[in-house]
Short mmCIF file of all heavy atoms in Angstrom, two decimals:
data_model
loop_
_atom_site.label_atom_id
_atom_site.label_comp_id
_atom_site.label_asym_id
_atom_site.label_seq_id
_atom_site.Cartn_x
_atom_site.Cartn_y
_atom_site.Cartn_z
N PRO A 213 -11.22 -11.21 -2.90
CA PRO A 213 -11.32 -10.46 -4.17
C PRO A 213 -10.45 -9.20 -4.23
O PRO A 213 -9.83 -8.95 -5.27
CB PRO A 213 -12.82 -10.11 -4.25
CG PRO A 213 -13.48 -11.23 -3.53
CD PRO A 213 -12.55 -11.59 -2.38
N PRO A 214 -10.33 -8.39 -3.16
CA PRO A 214 -9.48 -7.20 -3.27
C PRO A 214 -7.99 -7.53 -3.44
O PRO A 214 -7.21 -6.65 -3.85
CB PRO A 214 -9.71 -6.47 -1.94
CG PRO A 214 -11.00 -7.00 -1.43
CD PRO A 214 -11.05 -8.43 -1.86
N ASN A 215 -7.58 -8.77 -3.10
CA ASN A 215 -6.17 -9.14 -3.20
C ASN A 215 -5.85 -9.92 -4.46
O ASN A 215 -4.71 -9.89 -4.94
CB ASN A 215 -5.76 -9.95 -1.97
CG ASN A 215 -5.71 -9.10 -0.71
OD1 ASN A 215 -5.37 -7.93 -0.77
ND2 ASN A 215 -6.06 -9.69 0.42
N ARG A 216 -6.84 -10.65 -4.99
CA ARG A 216 -6.61 -11.39 -6.22
C ARG A 216 -6.34 -10.41 -7.36
O ARG A 216 -7.00 -9.40 -7.51
CB ARG A 216 -7.82 -12.26 -6.58
CG ARG A 216 -8.04 -13.44 -5.64
CD ARG A 216 -8.94 -14.48 -6.28
NE ARG A 216 -10.20 -13.93 -6.74
CZ ARG A 216 -11.32 -13.93 -6.03
NH1 ARG A 216 -11.34 -14.45 -4.82
NH2 ARG A 216 -12.43 -13.42 -6.53
N ASP A 217 -5.35 -10.72 -8.19
CA ASP A 217 -4.97 -9.88 -9.34
C ASP A 217 -4.49 -8.50 -8.91
O ASP A 217 -4.47 -7.57 -9.73
CB ASP A 217 -6.14 -9.72 -10.31
CG ASP A 217 -6.58 -11.04 -10.93
OD1 ASP A 217 -5.71 -11.90 -11.15
OD2 ASP A 217 -7.79 -11.20 -11.17
N SER A 218 -4.14 -8.34 -7.64
CA SER A 218 -3.74 -7.02 -7.15
C SER A 218 -2.46 -7.07 -6.33
O SER A 218 -1.52 -6.31 -6.58
CB SER A 218 -4.87 -6.41 -6.31
OG SER A 218 -4.47 -5.21 -5.70
N VAL A 219 -2.41 -7.98 -5.36
CA VAL A 219 -1.27 -8.04 -4.44
C VAL A 219 -0.27 -9.09 -4.92
O VAL A 219 -0.65 -10.19 -5.34
CB VAL A 219 -1.74 -8.36 -3.01
CG1 VAL A 219 -0.55 -8.51 -2.08
CG2 VAL A 219 -2.65 -7.25 -2.51
N ARG A 220 1.00 -8.75 -4.85
CA ARG A 220 2.04 -9.69 -5.26
C ARG A 220 3.29 -9.45 -4.41
O ARG A 220 3.33 -8.55 -3.59
CB ARG A 220 2.35 -9.52 -6.75
CG ARG A 220 2.75 -8.12 -7.16
CD ARG A 220 2.72 -7.94 -8.67
NE ARG A 220 3.70 -8.79 -9.32
CZ ARG A 220 4.88 -8.34 -9.76
NH1 ARG A 220 5.21 -7.07 -9.60
NH2 ARG A 220 5.73 -9.15 -10.35
N GLY A 221 4.28 -10.30 -4.62
CA GLY A 221 5.53 -10.17 -3.88
C GLY A 221 5.70 -11.21 -2.79
O GLY A 221 6.67 -11.18 -2.04
N PHE A 222 4.75 -12.16 -2.72
CA PHE A 222 4.80 -13.19 -1.68
C PHE A 222 6.11 -13.97 -1.73
O PHE A 222 6.72 -14.26 -0.69
CB PHE A 222 3.62 -14.16 -1.84
CG PHE A 222 2.27 -13.52 -1.71
CD1 PHE A 222 1.56 -13.15 -2.84
CD2 PHE A 222 1.72 -13.28 -0.46
CE1 PHE A 222 0.32 -12.55 -2.73
CE2 PHE A 222 0.47 -12.69 -0.35
CZ PHE A 222 -0.23 -12.32 -1.48
N GLU A 223 6.55 -14.32 -2.92
CA GLU A 223 7.76 -15.14 -3.04
C GLU A 223 9.01 -14.37 -2.64
O GLU A 223 9.99 -14.96 -2.17
CB GLU A 223 7.89 -15.67 -4.48
CG GLU A 223 8.27 -14.65 -5.54
CD GLU A 223 7.13 -13.75 -5.99
OE1 GLU A 223 6.00 -13.89 -5.48
OE2 GLU A 223 7.37 -12.90 -6.86
N ILE A 224 8.99 -13.04 -2.76
CA ILE A 224 10.15 -12.24 -2.35
C ILE A 224 10.24 -12.23 -0.83
O ILE A 224 11.33 -12.35 -0.25
CB ILE A 224 10.06 -10.82 -2.93
CG1 ILE A 224 10.35 -10.82 -4.43
CG2 ILE A 224 11.09 -9.92 -2.25
CD1 ILE A 224 9.24 -11.23 -5.30
N ILE A 225 9.11 -12.09 -0.16
CA ILE A 225 9.10 -12.13 1.31
C ILE A 225 9.55 -13.51 1.79
O ILE A 225 10.32 -13.62 2.76
CB ILE A 225 7.70 -11.79 1.85
CG1 ILE A 225 7.29 -10.38 1.44
CG2 ILE A 225 7.69 -11.93 3.38
CD1 ILE A 225 8.20 -9.28 1.92
N GLU A 226 9.10 -14.56 1.14
CA GLU A 226 9.53 -15.92 1.52
C GLU A 226 11.04 -16.08 1.35
O GLU A 226 11.70 -16.70 2.19
CB GLU A 226 8.80 -16.97 0.68
CG GLU A 226 7.34 -17.16 1.03
CD GLU A 226 7.13 -17.82 2.39
OE1 GLU A 226 8.12 -18.22 3.06
OE2 GLU A 226 5.96 -17.93 2.81
N ASP A 227 11.59 -15.51 0.29
CA ASP A 227 13.04 -15.60 0.07
C ASP A 227 13.79 -14.85 1.16
O ASP A 227 14.78 -15.35 1.71
CB ASP A 227 13.38 -15.03 -1.31
CG ASP A 227 14.83 -15.28 -1.70
OD1 ASP A 227 15.49 -16.16 -1.10
OD2 ASP A 227 15.32 -14.59 -2.62
N ALA A 228 13.32 -13.65 1.48
CA ALA A 228 13.97 -12.89 2.55
C ALA A 228 13.88 -13.64 3.88
O ALA A 228 14.86 -13.69 4.65
CB ALA A 228 13.31 -11.51 2.68
N LYS A 229 12.72 -14.24 4.15
CA LYS A 229 12.53 -14.98 5.40
C LYS A 229 13.47 -16.18 5.46
O LYS A 229 14.05 -16.50 6.52
CB LYS A 229 11.08 -15.42 5.52
CG LYS A 229 10.77 -16.25 6.76
CD LYS A 229 11.01 -15.50 8.05
CE LYS A 229 10.50 -16.31 9.24
NZ LYS A 229 10.84 -15.66 10.54
N ARG A 230 13.64 -16.87 4.34
CA ARG A 230 14.54 -18.03 4.31
C ARG A 230 15.97 -17.60 4.67
O ARG A 230 16.65 -18.26 5.46
CB ARG A 230 14.52 -18.65 2.91
CG ARG A 230 15.49 -19.82 2.71
CD ARG A 230 15.45 -20.33 1.30
NE ARG A 230 15.78 -19.29 0.33
CZ ARG A 230 17.02 -18.89 0.07
NH1 ARG A 230 18.05 -19.41 0.72
NH2 ARG A 230 17.22 -17.93 -0.83
N ARG A 231 16.40 -16.48 4.14
CA ARG A 231 17.75 -15.97 4.43
C ARG A 231 17.86 -15.53 5.89
O ARG A 231 18.90 -15.72 6.53
CB ARG A 231 18.09 -14.82 3.48
CG ARG A 231 18.04 -15.20 2.01
CD ARG A 231 18.44 -14.03 1.12
NE ARG A 231 18.09 -14.29 -0.28
CZ ARG A 231 18.56 -13.57 -1.31
NH1 ARG A 231 19.38 -12.55 -1.09
NH2 ARG A 231 18.20 -13.86 -2.54
N LEU A 232 16.80 -14.91 6.40
CA LEU A 232 16.80 -14.49 7.80
C LEU A 232 16.87 -15.69 8.74
O LEU A 232 17.57 -15.65 9.76
CB LEU A 232 15.54 -13.67 8.11
CG LEU A 232 15.48 -12.27 7.49
CD1 LEU A 232 14.06 -11.73 7.55
CD2 LEU A 232 16.45 -11.32 8.20
N GLU A 233 16.15 -16.75 8.41
CA GLU A 233 16.18 -17.95 9.24
C GLU A 233 17.55 -18.61 9.24
O GLU A 233 17.97 -19.19 10.24
CB GLU A 233 15.11 -18.94 8.78
CG GLU A 233 13.69 -18.54 9.14
CD GLU A 233 13.47 -18.49 10.64
OE1 GLU A 233 13.68 -19.51 11.32
OE2 GLU A 233 13.10 -17.40 11.15
N GLN A 234 18.25 -18.51 8.14
CA GLN A 234 19.61 -19.06 8.09
C GLN A 234 20.55 -18.26 8.99
O GLN A 234 21.44 -18.83 9.64
CB GLN A 234 20.13 -19.03 6.64
CG GLN A 234 19.44 -20.02 5.73
CD GLN A 234 19.88 -19.90 4.28
OE1 GLN A 234 20.54 -18.92 3.89
NE2 GLN A 234 19.52 -20.88 3.46
N ALA A 235 20.34 -16.95 9.04
CA ALA A 235 21.22 -16.09 9.84
C ALA A 235 20.81 -16.03 11.30
O ALA A 235 21.66 -16.07 12.20
CB ALA A 235 21.23 -14.67 9.25
N CYS A 236 19.50 -15.96 11.56
CA CYS A 236 18.98 -15.76 12.92
C CYS A 236 17.69 -16.53 13.08
O CYS A 236 16.60 -15.95 13.00
CB CYS A 236 18.73 -14.27 13.20
SG CYS A 236 19.97 -13.13 12.56
N PRO A 237 17.74 -17.81 13.32
CA PRO A 237 16.52 -18.63 13.38
C PRO A 237 15.53 -18.14 14.43
O PRO A 237 15.89 -17.88 15.58
CB PRO A 237 17.05 -20.03 13.73
CG PRO A 237 18.49 -20.02 13.33
CD PRO A 237 18.96 -18.61 13.53
N GLY A 238 14.27 -18.00 14.02
CA GLY A 238 13.20 -17.69 14.96
C GLY A 238 13.22 -16.30 15.55
O GLY A 238 12.58 -16.06 16.58
N ILE A 239 13.89 -15.36 14.92
CA ILE A 239 14.05 -14.03 15.51
C ILE A 239 13.19 -12.97 14.81
O ILE A 239 12.47 -12.20 15.44
CB ILE A 239 15.53 -13.59 15.49
CG1 ILE A 239 16.38 -14.53 16.33
CG2 ILE A 239 15.67 -12.14 15.95
CD1 ILE A 239 16.03 -14.54 17.80
N VAL A 240 13.24 -12.90 13.49
CA VAL A 240 12.60 -11.82 12.74
C VAL A 240 11.24 -12.28 12.23
O VAL A 240 11.14 -13.29 11.54
CB VAL A 240 13.48 -11.37 11.56
CG1 VAL A 240 12.81 -10.19 10.83
CG2 VAL A 240 14.88 -10.97 12.04
N SER A 241 10.20 -11.53 12.55
CA SER A 241 8.85 -11.91 12.14
C SER A 241 8.63 -11.62 10.66
O SER A 241 9.29 -10.76 10.06
CB SER A 241 7.81 -11.15 12.96
OG SER A 241 7.82 -9.77 12.64
N CYS A 242 7.67 -12.32 10.09
CA CYS A 242 7.27 -12.05 8.71
C CYS A 242 6.64 -10.67 8.60
O CYS A 242 6.82 -9.97 7.60
CB CYS A 242 6.29 -13.12 8.23
SG CYS A 242 6.99 -14.78 8.21
N ALA A 243 5.89 -10.27 9.62
CA ALA A 243 5.25 -8.95 9.62
C ALA A 243 6.28 -7.84 9.56
O ALA A 243 6.13 -6.86 8.80
CB ALA A 243 4.38 -8.80 10.86
N ASP A 244 7.35 -7.95 10.33
CA ASP A 244 8.44 -6.97 10.27
C ASP A 244 9.13 -7.01 8.91
O ASP A 244 9.54 -5.97 8.37
CB ASP A 244 9.46 -7.22 11.37
CG ASP A 244 9.05 -6.61 12.71
OD1 ASP A 244 8.06 -5.86 12.76
OD2 ASP A 244 9.73 -6.91 13.72
N THR A 245 9.28 -8.20 8.37
CA THR A 245 9.94 -8.34 7.07
C THR A 245 9.15 -7.59 6.00
O THR A 245 9.73 -6.88 5.16
CB THR A 245 10.06 -9.83 6.68
OG1 THR A 245 10.78 -10.52 7.69
CG2 THR A 245 10.77 -9.99 5.34
N VAL A 246 7.82 -7.70 6.03
CA VAL A 246 6.98 -6.99 5.07
C VAL A 246 7.13 -5.48 5.24
O VAL A 246 7.25 -4.73 4.26
CB VAL A 246 5.51 -7.42 5.21
CG1 VAL A 246 4.60 -6.53 4.38
CG2 VAL A 246 5.33 -8.87 4.81
N ALA A 247 7.11 -5.00 6.49
CA ALA A 247 7.21 -3.57 6.75
C ALA A 247 8.54 -3.00 6.28
O ALA A 247 8.60 -1.92 5.67
CB ALA A 247 7.03 -3.30 8.24
N ILE A 248 9.63 -3.72 6.55
CA ILE A 248 10.95 -3.26 6.13
C ILE A 248 11.08 -3.32 4.61
O ILE A 248 11.64 -2.42 3.98
CB ILE A 248 12.05 -4.10 6.82
CG1 ILE A 248 12.03 -3.86 8.33
CG2 ILE A 248 13.43 -3.77 6.25
CD1 ILE A 248 12.86 -4.84 9.13
N ALA A 249 10.53 -4.38 4.01
CA ALA A 249 10.59 -4.52 2.56
C ALA A 249 9.86 -3.38 1.86
O ALA A 249 10.30 -2.89 0.81
CB ALA A 249 10.00 -5.86 2.15
N ALA A 250 8.73 -2.93 2.43
CA ALA A 250 7.99 -1.82 1.85
C ALA A 250 8.83 -0.54 1.90
O ALA A 250 8.85 0.23 0.93
CB ALA A 250 6.68 -1.62 2.59
N ARG A 251 9.50 -0.31 3.02
CA ARG A 251 10.36 0.86 3.13
C ARG A 251 11.50 0.80 2.11
O ARG A 251 11.79 1.77 1.40
CB ARG A 251 10.91 0.95 4.56
CG ARG A 251 11.68 2.24 4.90
CD ARG A 251 13.17 2.18 4.57
NE ARG A 251 13.83 0.98 5.01
CZ ARG A 251 14.23 0.74 6.28
NH1 ARG A 251 14.02 1.62 7.23
NH2 ARG A 251 14.85 -0.41 6.57
N ASP A 252 12.16 -0.36 2.03
CA ASP A 252 13.30 -0.48 1.11
C ASP A 252 12.86 -0.39 -0.35
O ASP A 252 13.60 0.09 -1.21
CB ASP A 252 14.03 -1.80 1.37
CG ASP A 252 14.74 -1.81 2.72
OD1 ASP A 252 14.92 -0.73 3.30
OD2 ASP A 252 15.08 -2.91 3.19
N SER A 253 11.64 -0.83 -0.64
CA SER A 253 11.10 -0.70 -1.99
C SER A 253 10.87 0.77 -2.33
O SER A 253 11.14 1.22 -3.45
CB SER A 253 9.78 -1.47 -2.10
OG SER A 253 10.00 -2.86 -1.97
N THR A 254 10.37 1.52 -1.35
CA THR A 254 10.16 2.96 -1.54
C THR A 254 11.48 3.65 -1.85
O THR A 254 11.58 4.44 -2.80
CB THR A 254 9.53 3.57 -0.28
OG1 THR A 254 8.28 2.93 -0.02
CG2 THR A 254 9.33 5.06 -0.43
N VAL A 255 12.49 3.34 -1.07
CA VAL A 255 13.80 3.98 -1.25
C VAL A 255 14.41 3.60 -2.59
O VAL A 255 14.98 4.44 -3.29
CB VAL A 255 14.75 3.59 -0.09
CG1 VAL A 255 16.16 4.09 -0.35
CG2 VAL A 255 14.22 4.14 1.23
N ARG A 256 14.30 2.33 -2.96
CA ARG A 256 14.90 1.89 -4.22
C ARG A 256 14.33 2.66 -5.42
O ARG A 256 15.04 2.95 -6.38
CB ARG A 256 14.66 0.39 -4.42
CG ARG A 256 15.25 -0.11 -5.76
CD ARG A 256 15.12 -1.59 -5.94
NE ARG A 256 15.61 -1.96 -7.25
CZ ARG A 256 16.89 -2.19 -7.57
NH1 ARG A 256 17.82 -2.12 -6.62
NH2 ARG A 256 17.25 -2.51 -8.80
N MET A 257 13.06 3.02 -5.35
CA MET A 257 12.43 3.70 -6.47
C MET A 257 12.52 5.22 -6.39
O MET A 257 11.91 5.93 -7.18
CB MET A 257 10.96 3.27 -6.57
CG MET A 257 10.76 1.76 -6.68
SD MET A 257 11.75 0.98 -7.98
CE MET A 257 10.79 1.44 -9.43
N GLY A 258 13.28 5.72 -5.41
CA GLY A 258 13.52 7.15 -5.33
C GLY A 258 12.85 7.86 -4.17
O GLY A 258 12.97 9.08 -4.05
N GLY A 259 12.15 7.13 -3.32
CA GLY A 259 11.52 7.73 -2.15
C GLY A 259 12.49 7.98 -1.02
O GLY A 259 13.66 7.59 -1.08
N GLN A 260 12.01 8.62 0.02
CA GLN A 260 12.84 9.00 1.16
C GLN A 260 12.91 7.88 2.18
O GLN A 260 11.90 7.22 2.47
CB GLN A 260 12.24 10.27 1.78
CG GLN A 260 13.10 10.91 2.85
CD GLN A 260 12.50 12.22 3.33
OE1 GLN A 260 12.06 12.36 4.46
NE2 GLN A 260 12.44 13.19 2.42
N HIS A 261 14.09 7.67 2.74
CA HIS A 261 14.26 6.66 3.78
C HIS A 261 13.53 7.08 5.05
O HIS A 261 13.50 8.26 5.41
CB HIS A 261 15.75 6.48 4.08
CG HIS A 261 16.06 5.37 5.04
ND1 HIS A 261 15.98 5.54 6.41
CD2 HIS A 261 16.44 4.09 4.84
CE1 HIS A 261 16.31 4.41 7.00
NE2 HIS A 261 16.58 3.51 6.07
N TYR A 262 12.93 6.12 5.73
CA TYR A 262 12.31 6.39 7.02
C TYR A 262 12.59 5.20 7.93
O TYR A 262 12.82 4.08 7.47
CB TYR A 262 10.79 6.63 6.88
CG TYR A 262 10.02 5.51 6.23
CD1 TYR A 262 9.45 4.48 6.98
CD2 TYR A 262 9.83 5.49 4.84
CE1 TYR A 262 8.73 3.45 6.38
CE2 TYR A 262 9.10 4.47 4.24
CZ TYR A 262 8.57 3.45 5.01
OH TYR A 262 7.86 2.44 4.41
N LYS A 263 12.58 5.44 9.22
CA LYS A 263 12.89 4.40 10.19
C LYS A 263 11.66 3.53 10.43
O LYS A 263 10.58 4.03 10.74
CB LYS A 263 13.35 5.00 11.51
CG LYS A 263 13.74 3.96 12.55
CD LYS A 263 14.31 4.61 13.79
CE LYS A 263 14.61 3.57 14.87
NZ LYS A 263 15.55 2.53 14.42
N VAL A 264 11.83 2.23 10.29
CA VAL A 264 10.75 1.28 10.55
C VAL A 264 10.89 0.74 11.96
O VAL A 264 11.91 0.12 12.29
CB VAL A 264 10.78 0.12 9.54
CG1 VAL A 264 9.72 -0.92 9.89
CG2 VAL A 264 10.57 0.64 8.12
N ALA A 265 9.91 0.99 12.79
CA ALA A 265 9.89 0.38 14.11
C ALA A 265 9.60 -1.11 13.95
O ALA A 265 8.79 -1.52 13.12
CB ALA A 265 8.83 1.03 14.99
N THR A 266 10.27 -1.95 14.73
CA THR A 266 10.09 -3.39 14.63
C THR A 266 9.66 -3.97 15.98
O THR A 266 9.76 -3.31 17.00
CB THR A 266 11.39 -4.07 14.16
OG1 THR A 266 12.47 -3.67 15.02
CG2 THR A 266 11.72 -3.68 12.73
N GLY A 267 9.20 -5.20 15.94
CA GLY A 267 8.71 -5.84 17.15
C GLY A 267 7.36 -6.50 16.95
O GLY A 267 6.78 -7.03 17.90
N ARG A 268 6.85 -6.48 15.71
CA ARG A 268 5.57 -7.12 15.42
C ARG A 268 5.72 -8.64 15.51
O ARG A 268 6.70 -9.20 15.04
CB ARG A 268 5.11 -6.77 14.00
CG ARG A 268 4.97 -5.30 13.70
CD ARG A 268 4.87 -5.05 12.20
NE ARG A 268 4.87 -3.63 11.88
CZ ARG A 268 5.96 -2.88 11.80
NH1 ARG A 268 7.16 -3.41 12.01
NH2 ARG A 268 5.86 -1.60 11.51
N TYR A 269 4.73 -9.29 16.06
CA TYR A 269 4.63 -10.74 15.96
C TYR A 269 3.67 -11.09 14.83
O TYR A 269 2.87 -10.26 14.40
CB TYR A 269 4.15 -11.35 17.29
CG TYR A 269 5.25 -11.55 18.30
CD1 TYR A 269 5.87 -10.46 18.91
CD2 TYR A 269 5.67 -12.82 18.66
CE1 TYR A 269 6.88 -10.64 19.84
CE2 TYR A 269 6.67 -13.02 19.59
CZ TYR A 269 7.28 -11.92 20.18
OH TYR A 269 8.29 -12.10 21.10
N ASP A 270 3.77 -12.32 14.36
CA ASP A 270 2.92 -12.78 13.27
C ASP A 270 1.61 -13.33 13.78
O ASP A 270 1.57 -14.08 14.77
CB ASP A 270 3.64 -13.87 12.47
CG ASP A 270 4.92 -13.38 11.83
OD1 ASP A 270 4.91 -12.25 11.30
OD2 ASP A 270 5.93 -14.12 11.84
N GLY A 271 0.52 -12.99 13.09
CA GLY A 271 -0.79 -13.49 13.47
C GLY A 271 -1.02 -14.92 13.00
O GLY A 271 -0.39 -15.39 12.05
N ARG A 272 -1.95 -15.59 13.67
CA ARG A 272 -2.30 -16.97 13.32
C ARG A 272 -3.69 -17.06 12.70
O ARG A 272 -4.17 -18.15 12.41
CB ARG A 272 -2.23 -17.85 14.57
CG ARG A 272 -0.83 -18.02 15.14
CD ARG A 272 -0.84 -18.84 16.42
NE ARG A 272 -1.44 -20.16 16.22
CZ ARG A 272 -0.77 -21.23 15.77
NH1 ARG A 272 0.51 -21.13 15.47
NH2 ARG A 272 -1.39 -22.40 15.63
N VAL A 273 -4.34 -15.92 12.50
CA VAL A 273 -5.68 -15.88 11.93
C VAL A 273 -5.64 -15.07 10.65
O VAL A 273 -5.00 -14.01 10.58
CB VAL A 273 -6.68 -15.24 12.92
CG1 VAL A 273 -8.06 -15.08 12.27
CG2 VAL A 273 -6.77 -16.06 14.20
N SER A 274 -6.33 -15.56 9.61
CA SER A 274 -6.40 -14.84 8.33
C SER A 274 -7.78 -15.06 7.74
O SER A 274 -8.19 -16.19 7.51
CB SER A 274 -5.32 -15.35 7.37
OG SER A 274 -5.32 -14.60 6.18
N SER A 275 -8.51 -13.97 7.50
CA SER A 275 -9.91 -14.08 7.12
C SER A 275 -10.18 -13.45 5.76
O SER A 275 -9.99 -12.24 5.58
CB SER A 275 -10.79 -13.41 8.18
OG SER A 275 -12.12 -13.27 7.73
N LEU A 276 -10.66 -14.24 4.83
CA LEU A 276 -11.08 -13.73 3.52
C LEU A 276 -12.22 -12.74 3.69
O LEU A 276 -12.26 -11.69 3.02
CB LEU A 276 -11.49 -14.89 2.63
CG LEU A 276 -11.93 -14.60 1.20
CD1 LEU A 276 -11.59 -15.77 0.29
CD2 LEU A 276 -13.43 -14.30 1.10
N GLN A 277 -13.15 -13.03 4.57
CA GLN A 277 -14.31 -12.17 4.76
C GLN A 277 -13.90 -10.78 5.28
O GLN A 277 -14.43 -9.76 4.83
CB GLN A 277 -15.31 -12.82 5.73
CG GLN A 277 -16.07 -14.00 5.17
CD GLN A 277 -15.23 -15.29 5.12
OE1 GLN A 277 -14.16 -15.38 5.75
NE2 GLN A 277 -15.71 -16.28 4.38
N LEU A 278 -12.97 -10.76 6.24
CA LEU A 278 -12.54 -9.47 6.78
C LEU A 278 -11.76 -8.66 5.75
O LEU A 278 -11.86 -7.43 5.72
CB LEU A 278 -11.71 -9.68 8.05
CG LEU A 278 -12.47 -10.20 9.27
CD1 LEU A 278 -11.54 -10.35 10.46
CD2 LEU A 278 -13.64 -9.27 9.62
N ALA A 279 -10.97 -9.34 4.92
CA ALA A 279 -10.25 -8.64 3.86
C ALA A 279 -11.22 -7.99 2.89
O ALA A 279 -11.04 -6.84 2.46
CB ALA A 279 -9.32 -9.61 3.13
N THR A 280 -12.26 -8.72 2.54
CA THR A 280 -13.28 -8.19 1.64
C THR A 280 -13.99 -7.00 2.26
O THR A 280 -14.35 -6.03 1.57
CB THR A 280 -14.30 -9.28 1.28
OG1 THR A 280 -13.60 -10.40 0.71
CG2 THR A 280 -15.32 -8.77 0.30
N LYS A 281 -14.18 -7.04 3.58
CA LYS A 281 -14.91 -5.98 4.28
C LYS A 281 -14.07 -4.72 4.49
O LYS A 281 -14.57 -3.60 4.31
CB LYS A 281 -15.38 -6.51 5.64
CG LYS A 281 -16.10 -5.49 6.50
CD LYS A 281 -16.54 -6.11 7.82
CE LYS A 281 -17.25 -5.08 8.70
NZ LYS A 281 -17.68 -5.66 9.99
N PHE A 282 -12.81 -4.87 4.86
CA PHE A 282 -12.03 -3.73 5.33
C PHE A 282 -11.13 -3.10 4.28
O PHE A 282 -10.76 -1.92 4.43
CB PHE A 282 -11.19 -4.13 6.54
CG PHE A 282 -12.00 -4.38 7.78
CD1 PHE A 282 -11.94 -5.60 8.43
CD2 PHE A 282 -12.85 -3.41 8.29
CE1 PHE A 282 -12.69 -5.85 9.57
CE2 PHE A 282 -13.60 -3.64 9.43
CZ PHE A 282 -13.53 -4.87 10.06
N LEU A 283 -10.74 -3.82 3.24
CA LEU A 283 -9.84 -3.22 2.25
C LEU A 283 -10.62 -2.23 1.39
O LEU A 283 -11.73 -2.52 0.94
CB LEU A 283 -9.21 -4.30 1.39
CG LEU A 283 -8.11 -5.11 2.08
CD1 LEU A 283 -7.72 -6.31 1.22
CD2 LEU A 283 -6.89 -4.25 2.38
N PRO A 284 -10.07 -1.04 1.16
CA PRO A 284 -10.78 -0.05 0.34
C PRO A 284 -10.95 -0.53 -1.09
O PRO A 284 -10.10 -1.23 -1.63
CB PRO A 284 -9.87 1.19 0.42
CG PRO A 284 -8.53 0.67 0.83
CD PRO A 284 -8.77 -0.53 1.66
#
Side-chain angles (χ1 to χ4, degrees):
N215 289 327
R216 290 198 306 265
D217 297 326
S218 173
V219 176
R220 56 194 296 259
F222 299 97
E223 72 283 0
I224 287 80
I225 299 300
E226 287 290 356
D227 189 18
K229 178 62 172 175
R230 176 183 58 79
R231 301 182 193 194
L232 289 165
E233 286 297 302
Q234 290 175 347
C236 319
I239 298 297
V240 183
S241 69
C242 298
D244 277 352
T245 302
V246 171
I248 295 168
R251 189 272 313 281
D252 292 344
S253 294
T254 300
V255 173
R256 178 176 176 84
M257 305 308 283
Q260 188 175 113
H261 185 277
Y262 57 91
K263 182 175 176 59
V264 175
T266 53
R268 303 165 186 82
Y269 277 69
D270 298 318
R272 294 177 57 85
V273 175
S274 184
S275 169
L276 181 150
Q277 288 77 15
L278 290 181
T280 303
K281 177 180 179 180
F282 290 122
L283 286 170

